[in-house]
Amino acid sequence: MRSHSTLLIAACAAALAGAAPAGAQPLAVSPAGADAPAVEAKAIASGLENPWGLAFLPEGRYLVTERPGRMRIVEADGRLLAPLAGLPKVAAGGQGGLLDVVLDSDFASNRTLYFCFSEPGADGNTAVNSTALARATLSADATRLENVQVIFSQQPKYASRLHFGCRIVEREVGGKPDGTLFLALGERSTAKEEAQNLRSHFGKVVRVGKDGKVPSDNPFAGGASAGRTDALPEIWSYGHRSPQGAALAPDGKLWVHEHGPQGGDEVNQPQPGKNYGWPVITYGENYGGGAIGKGITAQPGMEQPAHYWVPSIAPSGMAFITSDRYGTAWKGQMVVGALKSQMLERLTLQDGKITARHLMLAQLGQRVRDVRQGPDGWLYLLTDARNGQLLRVQLKAR
């Protein structure tokens, strides 16, 4: 792992070679402060097999995806119901399977939800696959999915079991849903150069309508009028590696974080048409050591991360605190789960910039896969294990 000084030397060398100066610097962990609320994790449910995505149903129930290919309802008292029927075939294996799930903003009236998964190739061939986004209706008796339709399928199909990405966010404009969805897509690992190829969906954030159609105001939707005739019109931003968290901030702006290789996990605020650099620039290095490419951390035309981690924490899941459950000082702050570090991090934002990081649940000792704020204002976690749990982060009794 490269030291902080080594990273700074690499950044200076890149600048001297004609690259733009690096704008981001790694942040040390800041003390929480004597007035910070003490929190603990309470188990709501156990027995979930590698749970991946969490959504909140009416009457205090939870909808959870399990990576092997199951979606199930968890009752408010923690009882696991039978898996829902009606799911499509999933190419489960490695990092692939049934992944994120979100409810439509009008779920109360239309019972519509969206989920993403690793989709097999033609004729169910799981040797090649890609990330797909589907919409469906939860049946009236909540036992099955109906009207399942794949509305987006990452192209091309590829022989890999890694880096599917797969976080879904419903976009808002002026505080109201605009009828479109963001989907964060991985670059499939061994095809990392495709993150820079606008004729591929690998390593991209895409934006599509709820019917799968391309929004006319996407940055490359106009073809020649957008200045690019070679770009796929679904693309919103590119140069991403393996996004594992995405959420809207209280101001409605999209934030995404992604795994680096060895070091260099990033938080970004994807802007339309912008290039986030992977694998040309990175604060990480090859597994086992050695620079990626020329070891460049900055280059003209490529965006700097809003924040990066060295060493990696393997972030997964993201939520913004908008409730008063943890006190007013935490409102507006970002919370990120960590797979490798097995805890939570709370990131302080000021004027749209990440200014401090704080550890939460440092003794959790479980891989955190998803983080969501529930309708009750508490944070909820999914832990990534064969006997995974649904946890609620609540105030610790003093």
Side-chain angles (χ1 to χ4, degrees), residues 74-99:
V74 178
E75 293 283 15
D77 61 5
R79 288 182 296 121
L80 306 186
L81 300 188
L84 301 178
L87 272 80
K89 185 173 182 178
V90 173
Q95 295 173 356
L98 185 59
L99 304 173

Side-chain angles (χ1 to χ4, degrees), residues 142-211:
T143 62
R144 63 181 296 107
L145 297 183
E146 300 174 336
N147 308 314
V148 177
Q149 177 188 6
V150 173
I151 60 174
F152 170 83
S153 183
Q154 182 189 43
Q155 298 300 321
K157 298 291 183 186
Y158 190 69
S160 173
R161 305 191 335 157
L162 301 172
H163 295 191
F164 290 89
C166 210
R167 287 296 181 188
I168 311 165
V169 175
E170 185 171 359
R171 187 177 187 239
E172 294 183 359
V173 175
K176 296 181 180 180
D178 77 338
T180 68
L181 303 169
F182 289 116
L183 177 64
L185 300 169
E187 35 69 289
R188 312 309 312 280
S189 184
T190 52
K192 62 180 181 294
E193 291 79 10
E194 291 297 290
Q196 291 294 316
N197 181 5
L198 291 175
R199 291 170 290 183
S200 163
H201 291 128
F202 291 7
K204 311 299 191 296
V205 173
V206 300
R207 174 176 170 244
V208 296
K210 293 180 179 180
D211 55 3

Side-chain angles (χ1 to χ4, degrees), residues 2-238:
R2 287 184 291 179
S3 67
H4 175 60
S5 60
T6 304
L7 289 171
L8 289 177
I9 292 170
C12 292
L16 290 173
Q25 297 295 330
L27 295 170
V29 175
S30 299
D35 57 344
V39 296
E40 61 184 356
K42 178 182 178 181
I44 304 300
S46 300
L48 296 160
E49 185 175 1
N50 299 107
W52 215 95
L54 172 66
F56 301 95
L57 293 167
E59 300 176 350
R61 298 185 300 168
Y62 313 89
L63 185 64
V64 177
T65 62
E66 294 172 290
R67 197 175 67 225
R70 295 182 296 272
M71 185 183 299
R72 67 171 81 236
I73 291 173
V74 178
E75 293 283 15
D77 61 5
R79 288 182 296 121
L80 306 186
L81 300 188
L84 301 178
L87 272 80
K89 185 173 182 178
V90 173
Q95 295 173 356
L98 185 59
L99 304 173
D100 206 12
V101 62
V102 299
L103 303 186
D104 187 83
S105 53
D106 290 325
F107 178 85
S109 59
N110 62 22
R111 300 186 68 80
T112 296
L113 57 89
Y114 308 92
F115 63 94
C116 55
F117 64 104
S118 49
E119 180 185 46
D123 301 320
N125 177 15
T126 59
V128 294
N129 47 61
S130 67
T131 306
L133 173 64
R135 63 176 290 158
T137 304
L138 181 63
S139 64
D141 63 0
T143 62
R144 63 181 296 107
L145 297 183
E146 300 174 336
N147 308 314
V148 177
Q149 177 188 6
V150 173
I151 60 174
F152 170 83
S153 183
Q154 182 189 43
Q155 298 300 321
K157 298 291 183 186
Y158 190 69
S160 173
R161 305 191 335 157
L162 301 172
H163 295 191
F164 290 89
C166 210
R167 287 296 181 188
I168 311 165
V169 175
E170 185 171 359
R171 187 177 187 239
E172 294 183 359
V173 175
K176 296 181 180 180
D178 77 338
T180 68
L181 303 169
F182 289 116
L183 177 64
L185 300 169
E187 35 69 289
R188 312 309 312 280
S189 184
T190 52
K192 62 180 181 294
E193 291 79 10
E194 291 297 290
Q196 291 294 316
N197 181 5
L198 291 175
R199 291 170 290 183
S200 163
H201 291 128
F202 291 7
K204 311 299 191 296
V205 173
V206 300
R207 174 176 170 244
V208 296
K210 293 180 179 180
D211 55 3
K213 294 181 180 179
V214 176
S216 61
D217 58 347
N218 267 6
F220 303 114
S225 65
R228 296 292 297 256
T229 58
D230 60 343
L232 295 176
E234 298 91 353
I235 294 173
W236 179 261
S237 60
Y238 62 108

